[in-house]
Amino acid sequence: MARMNWERLINDKRFGLEDYHDPKKNLTRTDFRRDYDRLVFSSPFRRLQNKTQVFPLPGSIFVHNRLTHSMEVSCVGKSMADNIAVALKRRYTAQGAPAEHFDHLGDIVAAACLAHDLGNPPFGHSGEKAIGTYFSEGEGLKLKPMFTREQWADLINFEGNANAFRLLTHQFNGRRRGGFAMTYSMLASIVKYPFESVISPKGKFGFFTTEKDDFRRVADELGMLRLSADGEPLRYARHPLVYIVEAADDICYEVMDLEDAHKLKILSTDEVTSLLLGFFDKDRREHMFDVMKSVDDPNEKIAYLRSCVVGALVEQCAQTFIDNEDAILEGRFEGSLLSHIRPLEGDAYKACCKVSYEKIYRAGEVVDIELAGNRIITFLLERLVSAVLEPELHYSHLLLAKFPQQYDTQSPTQFGKIQAVLDHVSAMTDVYALDLYRKLNGMSLPAV
């Protein structure tokens, strides 16, 4: 049976800088660590501080935004990857096989976790939906005859994960070849859905048509298993480290949402306490009750429980990965790591998901930001798409002057022009998108 090989999967070759690759260089700061540092100092990463995670950007109560979420996911992902690396290194060393490459798992996953949300538009996941429905249901529907089947699937299923891969690899105007010039292993580790949009289940896919060849180059270099035949839409088995990034994201998303909902008084202390204690057996719960007796602040009690739950889920997901390494390397593993953990933690996680869906994601303030975000993004798309397709109009000329230079509004193809709009809109923060919306509607004027 075909099987992926760790020695190929862990590769520090840089995208776009392949001719400069020197695998023998001896540096105290590895290329994988450079990936992490490069992301921390980047503008797209900084912009995440003004992008909605779930709840509206904070007033007097601080809740998670995309930046704090990504940093926490990175911490959790690195811990999980380090645990896995220790076990795999021990396993391969006992078999007399090379094992030094496992030392890099933590750094690769930490960087991939930082980057996993870079392609998400403003206003949370509703922003993705707003872009897709603009083309499938809104004014953009009339543009369908302009595009190929593959291009249209990219537009109506707009996916932040695919947009992150584009952001990191595409050579925007005035920028260097290879985009961020990240390592092959890091790039592959953020692609949760390694297939084209035309075969995407539930609108999920990993790369736009324009980055198809780029992803193929990365995947083939790393020895990722190709699941599609020639002539079929491109599809690969996941890079193994994707499972770790995904698990870290899901853990933080679910557990931190409960903590934020508690701070905002959407859920009571008793509700959240009951949910989080459900991850532990009777003896552990009794110990945790003793610890909580020494703390009076309800928020601190929930923070303590949250840290315990994260630790338990990291341990369970790491063990699941280790136990299923063969299936993962052979492309046979189905579902997520969290869907295979033992029943105690698995049932508690499902209970949290159920409450989140019923009480958090339908909460008034969450729905309000989705409604507002949908209206803002739809309006901006209507104006900006019209501007790039009809640049000769006076109003279009004014709007095009607002585009950052790196976006190719004069692309020779219609799809390229639309992508320039999506590049611009998806990079916006919530605050910038709202400000531009107000200005274009004449609701505010620039200060003199």
Side-chain angles (χ1 to χ4, degrees), residues 105-126:
L105 293 195
D107 284 341
I108 298 171
V109 169
C113 289
L114 281 188
H116 82 284
D117 271 351
L118 284 185
N120 282 54
F123 307 111
H125 287 296
S126 63

Side-chain angles (χ1 to χ4, degrees), residues 24-195:
K24 297 180 180 179
K25 60 190 173 192
N26 183 18
L27 300 171
T28 55
R29 187 165 67 112
T30 68
D31 277 308
F32 302 122
R33 181 67 197 188
R34 288 173 183 267
D35 282 348
Y36 182 93
D37 295 345
R38 187 171 295 179
L39 288 165
V40 168
F41 285 92
S42 70
S43 294
F45 184 70
R46 288 196 299 274
R47 285 198 294 267
L48 293 178
Q49 69 182 314
N50 270 327
K51 288 193 176 187
T52 296
Q53 174 65 13
V54 172
F55 299 103
L57 295 178
S60 59
I61 299 176
F62 189 86
V63 293
H64 288 85
N65 54 43
R66 287 281 174 189
L67 181 72
T68 53
H69 168 72
S70 297
M71 293 171 65
E72 290 173 348
V73 173
S74 184
C75 291
V76 171
K78 188 178 190 308
S79 294
M80 194 184 304
D82 286 342
N83 288 354
I84 292 168
V86 169
L88 293 184
K89 192 170 184 178
R90 186 184 303 119
R91 175 181 293 172
Y92 279 72
T93 299
Q95 297 170 356
E100 62 276 1
H101 40 270
F102 292 119
D103 294 334
H104 301 302
L105 293 195
D107 284 341
I108 298 171
V109 169
C113 289
L114 281 188
H116 82 284
D117 271 351
L118 284 185
N120 282 54
F123 307 111
H125 287 296
S126 63
E128 288 177 291
K129 193 65 177 175
I131 292 175
T133 54
Y134 167 77
F135 294 102
S136 64
E137 301 174 8
E139 285 293 312
L141 182 57
K142 64 186 179 184
L143 305 178
K144 184 176 180 180
M146 294 182 179
F147 306 116
T148 66
R149 173 172 168 257
E150 292 77 15
Q151 291 170 341
W152 187 246
D154 284 355
L155 296 177
I156 63 174
N157 297 307
F158 182 86
E159 165 60 49
N161 193 237
N163 200 43
F165 186 80
R166 173 177 170 81
L167 177 65
L168 292 173
T169 59
H170 182 68
Q171 183 178 7
F172 292 96
N173 288 342
R175 304 299 173 88
R176 66 178 171 186
R177 184 167 61 95
F180 276 54
M182 309 304 277
T183 61
Y184 276 39
S185 292
M186 180 272 174
L187 288 172
S189 297
I190 69 167
V191 181
K192 292 170 65 174
Y193 318 105
F195 38 81

